[in-house]
Amino acid sequence: GPTRKMPLTASAMDFFQLFVPDNVLKNMVVQTNMYAKKYQERFGSDDTWIDVTLTEMKAFLGYMISTSIHHCESVLSIWSSGFYSNKSIALIMTQSRFEKILKYFHIVAFRSSQTTHSLYKIQPFLDSLQNGFDSAFRPSQAQVLHEPLIDEDPVFIATCTERELRKRKKRKFSLWVRQCSSTGFICQIYVHLKEGSGSDGLDALKNKPQLHSMVAKSLCQNASGKNYIIFTGPSITSLNLFEEFEKQEIYCCGLLSTRKSDCTGLPPSMLNNSATPQSRGQYRIRMKGNMSLICWYNKGHFRFLTNAYSPVQQGVIIKRKSGEIPCPLAVEAFAAHLSYICKYDDKYSKYFISHKPNKTWQQVFWFAISIAINNAYILYKMSEAYHVTRYSRAQFGERLVKELLGLEDTSPTH
């Protein structure tokens, strides 16, 4: 849960600033103004540009965040007279001023001579965000590694041309997270860039174990020695990775797939389906040290690799129609924690910022901001302030937008 107690009067902005404090926003102001100056020195002066202020930067973020609640097809629709217009916030800043800030917006204006990382324009922000996640929240023992679902608004998709949809599918990075399975709080973000269309690109590695093993190690670099139990999907699950994690006192439980997983070192007899018909709930087990390979049958064969649960401990999967199906405890635990993450995705994935910039670092930035707001809401729900006001996720987002824009109206909308 939370590491600090927030006051009863804590606002949405107070929770958001646990992760994006004023010093980070001030840095955005400085870097944006520096970039605007350099841009104009190179391409000609812009008489309509005035240096952005902290108040304007907060309003700029507020406009962007409002698209996560109202899902307009473009952030510029706020100022339009159509269906997506938002007259209540449009008067704070003119559309032309917003577009100027959007044009010059930067977190790191210039590449330093030592920088080799492709995400250098956003890395300081991601590092600051990670520090905020680590200091504000203590996760439960059970955690999940996965790619979070990011909903595309169906109305927005319907208005896209075929060419825009094709461009949209070619995202140049994959976003992975380590997530507390008890609360849904995202403890760590990892961004893997597609560095090119060559043989080393993301497309070439998409279904290969070396990429997913590297992702898992990066996400768990701060987890060693804490006895965490990490749940993984088929693309990450492998014997070599789990044995490496065990040496760091990180324990694992993963679903295994003969098609997607790295099955090196696993007995072939357990990877082949038995010819004799089996009844639901039957399972076979093979062990190597603390590692168990479980083959469980339930209208199909499911395989699990774990060193976190004893294979002799019994559990049950409860189905509405067929009642209780016996299984090892590892299978029950895996199903329970993964179902929670599905519920998290169902609830929070629709609150990602709708703005879709062309630049990769900006796409990553708006995804990271969306995750920070979701985390802020999770902390708010676990605080005493929630028992005073009880905002829904949409109301919390609206409150945050109004506070960023400096609007006096603080009453929640229903």
Side-chain angles (χ1 to χ4, degrees), residues 17 20 27 32 62 90 92 98 132 181 219 227 231 238 246 271 321 334 344 347 366 413:
Q17 292 215 299
V20 188
N27 179 64
T32 299
I92 303 299
F98 175 86
S181 63
L219 284 171
N227 289 316
F231 292 87
S238 81
E246 189 173 359
L271 302 177
K321 293 181 179 177
F334 185 90
Y344 172 91
K347 182 172 183 180
W366 296 119
T413 55

Side-chain angles (χ1 to χ4, degrees), residues 294-318:
I294 301 165
C295 182
W296 177 68
Y297 185 81
N298 178 25
K299 290 187 177 178
H301 291 88
F302 295 89
R303 294 171 180 84
F304 297 86
L305 190 65
T306 182
N307 55 4
Y309 297 93
S310 165
V312 297
Q313 285 185 286
Q314 293 296 306
V316 288
I317 299 287
I318 300 173

Side-chain angles (χ1 to χ4, degrees), residues 15-38:
F15 287 96
F16 177 64
Q17 292 215 299
L18 292 173
F19 311 125
V20 188
D22 268 351
N23 65 317
V24 171
L25 298 175
K26 286 173 183 173
N27 179 64
M28 291 179 194
V29 170
V30 171
Q31 297 293 328
T32 299
N33 290 331
M34 282 171 60
Y35 181 79
K37 183 181 178 183
K38 196 72 176 178

Side-chain angles (χ1 to χ4, degrees), residues 11-209:
S11 64
M13 187 73 167
D14 292 331
F15 287 96
F16 177 64
Q17 292 215 299
L18 292 173
F19 311 125
V20 188
D22 268 351
N23 65 317
V24 171
L25 298 175
K26 286 173 183 173
N27 179 64
M28 291 179 194
V29 170
V30 171
Q31 297 293 328
T32 299
N33 290 331
M34 282 171 60
Y35 181 79
K37 183 181 178 183
K38 196 72 176 178
Y39 184 94
Q40 290 172 46
E41 285 174 4
R42 186 175 179 184
F43 298 107
S45 62
D46 183 349
D47 297 333
T48 59
W49 172 255
I50 303 166
D51 277 359
V52 69
T53 63
L54 179 62
T55 303
E56 284 182 313
M57 185 57 71
K58 286 181 178 180
F60 172 76
L61 289 179
Y63 282 125
M64 286 297 195
I65 292 166
S66 71
T67 67
S68 67
I69 307 152
H70 303 291
H71 293 288
C72 33
E73 83 274 19
S74 162
V75 66
L76 301 180
S77 338
I78 291 169
W79 291 273
S80 72
S81 55
F83 177 75
Y84 292 106
S85 65
N86 194 332
K87 296 289 187 290
S88 63
I89 64 175
L91 300 175
I92 303 299
M93 183 186 289
T94 64
Q95 181 179 339
S96 59
R97 178 59 176 165
F98 175 86
E99 289 186 84
K100 285 292 180 191
I101 298 172
L102 182 60
K103 177 181 177 180
Y104 296 125
F105 175 68
H106 266 72
I107 296 160
V108 175
F110 309 111
R111 184 197 289 261
S112 68
S113 55
Q114 296 87 16
T115 303
T116 56
H117 199 283
S118 302
L119 282 174
Y120 76 93
K121 286 198 172 186
I122 194 179
Q123 197 59 53
F125 175 76
L126 293 178
D127 292 341
S128 169
L129 202 61
Q130 187 59 54
N131 290 335
F133 291 169
D134 291 341
S135 61
F137 185 81
R138 186 174 58 254
S140 65
Q141 185 184 30
Q143 294 166 38
V144 179
L145 305 187
H146 72 121
E147 288 184 272
L149 178 68
I150 298 166
D151 256 9
E152 299 281 18
D153 183 53
V155 178
F156 181 73
I157 289 296
T159 63
C160 282
T161 63
E162 203 172 313
R163 186 181 173 194
E164 285 174 326
L165 279 175
R166 279 202 305 273
K167 279 176 70 178
R168 182 175 299 274
K169 288 174 186 172
K170 294 180 182 176
R171 191 184 294 157
K172 294 182 180 177
F173 63 93
S174 59
L175 182 72
W176 296 75
V177 299
R178 175 163 58 87
Q179 189 168 16
C180 170
S181 63
S182 300
T183 59
F185 189 95
I186 288 177
C187 309
Q188 192 158 353
I189 301 171
Y190 177 78
V191 180
H192 180 80
L193 274 186
K194 177 181 175 182
E195 299 289 1
S197 55
S199 59
D200 294 330
L202 180 60
D203 288 341
L205 289 170
K206 190 66 180 172
N207 294 314
K208 292 191 176 179

